[in-house]
């Protein structure tokens, strides 16, 4: 069967456009070498091509049977990336084609690159489809909810092997340019089939790529060519606008640069963007504000659970100036009555999560005020998901969540199915480890629904998960969506004079 699967993979490469037809034999021989096989038998192709997922499964099963790899998700992922790399064009060829298409249209260029990233299996589309996604209506608009099922978890074999792998410093992190073509190991994912598009923003070299987990349409990552830490500053706004000038159909934003309110990788400067409209972008300004000296810039407080100041105008330079002015004021702002402290014991707390867009000839910059102070009552953060919501969301509220997309842990799929079963059957969920953590949460809405079927109960639980995530965003808001909270917000804005 090896010859059959190799034949099908070469066929896939040619028909998908990854591999020129004239390189079919060359590609076949590269694949044979990976299997340490010297023989090949011509096979009659099926009328209908096999899907990539099943071609790779067949080849990976063969590699396991031959003892080339251990039958583990980690080792299978490392090896199938080698297989796909045999089909791939060299980085320079892809870059040349990308920029040639860009001359015709930036959007057509990203369409080409996104399509390539899926066909190459860098984005494993058949896994991404497993994610559970739905919309949750709220007073702030329709919130996106996703339970992430596409990111595989290490199995015991790989975990044991990882302990014996000597830690290295190359690549320094998952966002370094050196990941392009890297073979990987049990502690670092393979990127042999990965290709990065070099771009220049603010006069420095950066890389443009897509996230392999695509939480939303064309979810891209823009990464600094140097391994330097995240820092929100004037240059950040310039870089964001440089990017949306290059790709005006995309938005681009940055995680905050402090722990708790920042992203998962603070050690490498990077942004995230894409071709998607989040609920926060659609949220209106609930009140206009005028900042003296910047009367030419439209500004206002956004109707959103987190504290968002939106500024808009045709001059990106004026938005950079105003954004920097607001950032500097916020960094040093303390309001004890609103429980906002710029620093405690020398530790800074205030920062901003910025998001940039370009709509026709108008630039837009959302400035989300963040604070990472902790207390005994809230040891993980005052403006962080509170303990009563940790059964649903305990992790940091990063850029993606800030804009209105909940990225929830995979454990929730099985846990919610168990909760639904217990509700339908009337069993006590406090007797089960998987459901016990959700018991108090369920008690808050138990009387609002009739739990008669598994399907209907799951629908009710999805509704309540959406409501809980909105409350999580309200937890993360520094100035609350109350009369008092809005007065506190306007008191800060008054200091920007």
């Amino acid at each position: 069967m090896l010859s059959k699967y190799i034949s099908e993979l070469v066929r896939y490469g040619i028909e998908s456009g990854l591999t020129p037809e004239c390189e079919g034999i060359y590609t076949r021989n590269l694949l044979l070498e990976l299997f340490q096989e010297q023989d090949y038998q011509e096979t009659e192709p099926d009328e209908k091509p096999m899907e990539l997922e099943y071609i790779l499964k067949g080849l990976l099963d063969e590699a396991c049977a031959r003892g080339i790899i251990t039958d583990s998700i980690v080792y299978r992922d490392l090896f199938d990336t080698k297989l796909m790399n045999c089909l791939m064009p060299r980085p320079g060829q892809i870059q040349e084609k990308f920029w040639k298409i860009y001359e015709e249209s930036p959007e057509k260029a990203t369409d080409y690159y996104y399509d390539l990233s899926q066909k190459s299996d860098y984005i494993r589309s058949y896994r991404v489809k497993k994610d559970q996604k739905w919309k949750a209506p709220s007073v702030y608009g329709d919130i996106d909810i996703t339970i992430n099922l596409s990111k595989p978890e290490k199995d015991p074999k790989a975990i044991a092997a990882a302990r014996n792998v000597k830690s290295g410093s190359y690549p320094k992190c998952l966002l370094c340019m050196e990941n392009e073509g890297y073979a990987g190991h049990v502690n670092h994912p393979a990127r042999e089939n990965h290709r990065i598009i070099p771009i220049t923003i603010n006069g420095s070299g950066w890389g443009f790529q897509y996230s392999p987990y695509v939480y939303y349409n064309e979810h891209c990552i823009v990464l600094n060519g140097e391994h330097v830490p995240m820092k929100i500053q004037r240059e950040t706004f310039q870089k964001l606008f440089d990017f949306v000038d290059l790709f005006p159909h995309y938005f681009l934003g940055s995680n905050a640069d402090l722990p708790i309110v920042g992203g998962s990788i603070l050690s490498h400067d990077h942004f995230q963007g894409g071709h998607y409209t989040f609920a926060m972008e659609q949220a209106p300004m609930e009140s206009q504000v005028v900042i003296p000296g910047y009367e030419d810039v439209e500004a206002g407080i956004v109707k959103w659970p987190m504290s968002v100041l939106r500024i808009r105008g045709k001059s990106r330079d004026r938005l950079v100036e105003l954004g920097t002015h607001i950032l500097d004021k916020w960094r040093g702002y303390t309001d004890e009555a609103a429980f906002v402290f710029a620093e405690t014991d020398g530790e800074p707390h205030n920062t901003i999560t910025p998001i940039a867009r370009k709509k026709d000839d108008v630039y837009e910059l959302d400035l989300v005020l963040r604070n990472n102070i902790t207390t005994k009552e809230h040891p993980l953060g005052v403006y962080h998901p509170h303990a009563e919501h940790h059964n649903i969301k305990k992790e940091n509220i990063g850029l993606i969540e800030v804009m209105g997309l909940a990225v929830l842990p995979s454990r929730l799929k099985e846990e919610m199915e168990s909760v639904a079963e217990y509700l339908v059957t009337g069993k006590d969920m406090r007797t089960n480890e998987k459901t016990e953590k959700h018991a108090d949460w369920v008690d808050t809405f138990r009387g609002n629904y009739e739990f008669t079927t598994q399907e209907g109960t799951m629908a009710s639980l999805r509704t309540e998960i959406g409501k809980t995530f909105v409350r999580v965003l309200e937890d993360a808001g520094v100035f609350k969506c109350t009369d008092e909270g809005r007065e506190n917000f306007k008191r800060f804005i008054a200091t920007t004079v």
Side-chain angles (χ1 to χ4, degrees), residues 266-281:
L266 293 177
S267 61
H268 194 119
D269 196 14
H270 69 284
F271 307 125
Q272 294 183 78
H275 199 181
Y276 189 72
T277 302
F278 287 89
M280 190 176 84
E281 179 181 346

Side-chain angles (χ1 to χ4, degrees), residues 139-424:
V139 295
Y140 307 105
D142 288 344
I143 305 298
D144 290 297
I145 310 291
T146 178
I147 295 179
N148 177 25
L149 303 173
S150 58
K151 191 173 183 178
E153 298 180 2
K154 288 184 178 179
D155 57 31
K157 292 179 183 177
I159 292 171
R163 296 195 191 101
N164 300 321
V165 173
K166 185 179 179 181
S167 61
S169 59
Y170 181 86
K172 291 179 181 176
C173 77
L174 292 172
L175 295 178
C176 285
M177 298 285 279
E178 289 81 4
N179 282 281
E180 185 178 43
Y182 187 61
H185 48 75
V186 290
N187 285 329
H188 195 106
R191 292 289 183 259
E192 286 178 278
N193 59 342
H194 180 37
R195 303 292 184 263
I196 299 173
I197 303 296
I199 61 174
T200 299
I201 54 176
N202 199 38
S204 58
W206 286 61
F208 168 52
Q209 66 178 49
Y210 289 104
S211 165
Y213 307 115
V214 285
Y215 293 130
Y216 50 86
N217 187 49
E218 296 177 48
H219 176 187
C220 69
I221 300 173
V222 180
L223 48 96
N224 197 317
E226 302 294 328
H227 183 75
V228 294
M230 306 244 336
K231 186 176 182 181
I232 305 299
Q233 55 189 337
R234 180 187 186 90
E235 289 76 11
T236 302
F237 306 135
Q238 292 172 331
K239 292 167 186 172
L240 295 178
F241 285 132
D242 274 359
F243 181 85
V244 297
D245 273 338
L246 274 174
F247 305 103
H249 56 296
Y250 276 11
F251 76 88
L252 193 68
S254 175
N255 270 304
D257 55 356
L258 293 178
I260 297 176
V261 295
S264 57
I265 302 179
L266 293 177
S267 61
H268 194 119
D269 196 14
H270 69 284
F271 307 125
Q272 294 183 78
H275 199 181
Y276 189 72
T277 302
F278 287 89
M280 190 176 84
E281 179 181 346
Q282 296 176 307
M285 294 185 194
E286 65 179 26
S287 61
Q288 300 273 339
V289 298
V290 177
I291 300 176
Y294 297 93
E295 289 84 0
D296 56 318
V297 177
E298 183 184 359
I301 295 172
V302 178
K303 185 181 179 182
W304 193 246
M306 299 186 69
S307 306
V308 186
L309 185 62
R310 177 171 295 159
I311 57 178
R312 303 177 77 245
K314 291 188 175 183
S315 171
R316 52 170 279 178
D317 291 340
R318 292 290 285 161
L319 265 61
V320 168
E321 289 175 19
L322 179 53
T324 305
H325 178 64
I326 292 168
L327 172 65
D328 291 343
K329 289 291 185 180
W330 178 244
R331 290 276 195 201
Y333 184 72
T334 291
D335 183 346
E336 293 187 16
F339 204 78
V340 174
F341 296 88
E343 59 86 22
T344 55
D345 300 324
E347 179 187 352
H349 296 305
N350 291 346
T351 186
I352 278 176
T353 298
I355 302 104
R357 311 176 193 95
K358 187 177 183 182
K359 300 179 177 181
D360 296 324
D361 60 347
V362 176
Y363 294 93
E364 188 171 276
L365 185 63
D366 281 353
L367 302 168
V368 188
L369 307 182
R370 312 297 304 275
N371 180 288
N372 74 347
I373 196 169
T374 61
T375 62
K376 287 183 179 179
E377 183 183 2
H378 300 293
L380 296 181
V382 173
Y383 306 109
H384 178 87
H386 288 179
E388 63 267 27
H389 303 138
H390 286 180
N391 65 309
I392 301 298
K393 178 71 174 177
K394 185 178 182 179
E395 300 78 15
N396 292 355
I397 300 302
L399 171 67
I400 296 173
E401 287 89 357
V402 164
M403 295 185 293
L405 191 159
V407 180
L408 302 179
S410 59
R411 63 174 173 81
L412 282 180
K413 177 182 181 295
E414 188 175 345
E415 289 175 6
M416 288 302 113
E417 289 171 352
S418 296
V419 168
E421 179 188 343
Y422 273 59
L423 284 169
V424 171

